[in-house]
Amino acid sequence: GAVVSQHPSWVICKSGTSVKIECRSLDFQATTMFWYRQFPKQSLMLMATSNEGSKATYEQGVEKDKFLINHASLTLSTLTVTSAHPEDSSFYICSARPASAGVPYNEQFFGPGTRLTVL
Amino acid sequence: GENVEQHPSTLSVQEGDSAVIKCTYSDSASNYFPWYKQELGKRPQLIIDIRSNVGEKKDQRIAVTLNKTAKHFSLHITETQPEDSAVYFCAGSRGAGNKLTFGGGTRVLVKP
């Protein structure tokens, strides 16, 4: 159990176009999903926290108008990179937290990541 | 916010030797400290974690220690094997299901 998928696994796009990345929890419901970005040979940096039915919370320095997050259901969050540029090329990874958040030490599960290359 | 520092950034060990990676954190409210192993192009895999109410935890060849007073925690891998070669990340958060702040990563190479 506790499987998280991402689609697509990789994408190449032209500069100026928009790209949508999906994060799905396949066998559990997730009230909260996190979006991380990882540049080559660097660590994972949290971009935003996505909560089902409400606006995402963005980390400092992350442009909310450029990285649009929608968490419309308990199993799906999407990240749209608008007007992508080469500097947005990165590995985008989501994680999902099960909806049974009443217990204090529940876990989060990572998706396999999406590699975005902007030409 | 939380800041997690990780050392060393690279670590080369001979097969069979031990590897130790150290992390420090800044947020005294952090109470959950996982360690992840990441292979190239793959998702991070949780290998062990520790909560703030425990000082040490062990799982076969892997152990983690936590010093809350000093705000540091360490990963110990004994009897290293070539398949242990990967990048390891420590992280901290205020609860297992909350946002994680990652350390900078340690690239471990186990030489046969």
Side-chain angles (χ1 to χ4, degrees), chain A residues 10-87:
Chain A
W10 60 271
V11 57
I12 301 173
C13 71
K14 293 182 178 180
S15 184
T17 61
S18 295
V19 174
K20 179 184 286 188
I21 302 170
E22 295 183 346
C23 177
R24 292 182 185 272
S25 54
L26 299 185
D27 51 3
F28 66 96
Q29 294 184 325
T31 52
T32 301
M33 292 184 176
F34 303 96
W35 285 96
Y36 296 87
R37 180 168 56 182
Q38 185 176 32
F39 292 109
K41 297 187 177 181
Q42 294 189 25
S43 186
L44 286 81
M45 297 294 292
L46 179 68
M47 299 176 67
T49 302
S50 168
N51 296 297
E52 187 268 336
S54 64
K55 291 183 178 180
T57 303
Y58 290 82
E59 295 299 301
Q60 191 173 7
V62 178
E63 300 175 59
K64 62 180 181 181
D65 294 331
K66 180 172 180 62
F67 299 99
L68 302 179
I69 292 173
N70 183 282
H71 194 155
S73 77
L74 286 171
T75 59
L76 174 64
S77 176
T78 60
L79 168 68
T80 301
V81 183
T82 62
S83 186
H85 289 95
E87 56 265 30

Side-chain angles (χ1 to χ4, degrees), chain A residues 3-4 32 34 36 38 41-46 49 59 91 93 97 104-108 110-113 115, chain B residues 31-32 36 38 41-44 46 49 51-53 89 93 95-105 107:
Chain A
V3 179
V4 177
T32 301
F34 303 96
Y36 296 87
Q38 185 176 32
K41 297 187 177 181
Q42 294 189 25
S43 186
L44 286 81
M45 297 294 292
L46 179 68
T49 302
E59 295 299 301
F91 193 48
I93 307 175
R97 182 174 78 186
Y105 297 130
N106 54 345
E107 298 182 51
Q108 58 182 285
F110 282 88
R115 183 159 304 283
Chain B
N31 57 14
Y32 175 68
Y36 292 90
Q38 187 182 32
K42 301 290 182 62
R43 78 186 84 194
L46 179 68
D49 57 15
R51 272 80 174 182
S52 60
N53 59 346
F89 292 99
S93 74
N98 292 326
K99 64 180 184 179
L100 293 166
T101 300
F102 285 85
R107 187 172 300 275

Side-chain angles (χ1 to χ4, degrees), chain B residues 20-91:
Chain B
V20 180
I21 304 171
K22 298 182 178 182
C23 289
T24 60
Y25 62 97
S26 62
D27 184 359
S28 57
S30 289
N31 57 14
Y32 175 68
F33 306 95
W35 286 88
Y36 292 90
K37 177 182 180 182
Q38 187 182 32
E39 298 179 351
L40 189 62
K42 301 290 182 62
R43 78 186 84 194
Q45 291 181 299
L46 179 68
I47 57 172
I48 196 167
D49 57 15
I50 191 166
R51 272 80 174 182
S52 60
N53 59 346
V54 176
E56 184 174 357
K57 184 177 178 180
K58 188 174 182 179
D59 182 4
Q60 299 183 340
R61 297 187 296 109
I62 295 173
V64 58
T65 59
L66 170 66
N67 183 326
K68 285 177 56 180
T69 302
K71 294 200 187 75
H72 66 70
F73 56 112
S74 300
L75 177 72
H76 303 251
I77 306 174
T78 58
E79 301 173 27
T80 54
Q81 301 167 4
E83 51 265 38
D84 294 330
S85 296
V87 180
Y88 291 80
F89 292 99
C90 62

